[in-house]
């Protein structure tokens, strides 16, 4: 049973990684920020739901350091 669950989870994440790759999230020309990293992570985790119309987006702002 563990093997089946593991295979399902790996397939789910692989489909999500494929969706992120198709959206261009793994390109070298993108700036890495909280938002882009969050979008990529959510796309991978949402897996096959990406092909059902889910387009997860993150809007995060980090506090600026004090001067």
């Amino acid at each position: 049973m563990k093997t089946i669950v593991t295979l399902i989870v790996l397939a789910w994440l692989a489909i999500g990684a494929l969706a992120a790759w198709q959206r261009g999230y793994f390109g070298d020309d993108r700036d890495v920020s909280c938002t882009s990293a969050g979008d990529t992570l959510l796309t991978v985790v949402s897996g096959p739901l990406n092909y059902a119309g889910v387009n997860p987006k993150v809007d995060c702002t980090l506090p600026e350091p004090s001067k």
Side-chain angles (χ1 to χ4, degrees):
M1 185 66 177
K2 275 186 180 180
T3 304
I4 293 172
V5 171
T6 301
L7 289 175
I8 291 171
V9 169
L10 289 176
W12 183 277
L13 294 175
I15 293 169
L18 178 64
W21 175 74
Q22 288 176 335
R23 290 181 180 169
Y25 289 164
F26 296 126
D28 291 335
D29 58 340
R30 291 189 57 158
D31 290 332
V32 177
S33 66
C34 175
T35 302
S36 65
D39 288 346
T40 303
L41 182 64
L42 278 178
T43 299
V44 171
V45 170
S46 62
L49 297 176
N50 289 291
Y51 296 103
V54 174
N55 189 11
K57 294 288 181 187
V58 173
D59 183 28
C60 58
T61 55
L62 298 174
E64 295 293 321
S66 60
K67 293 183 179 183

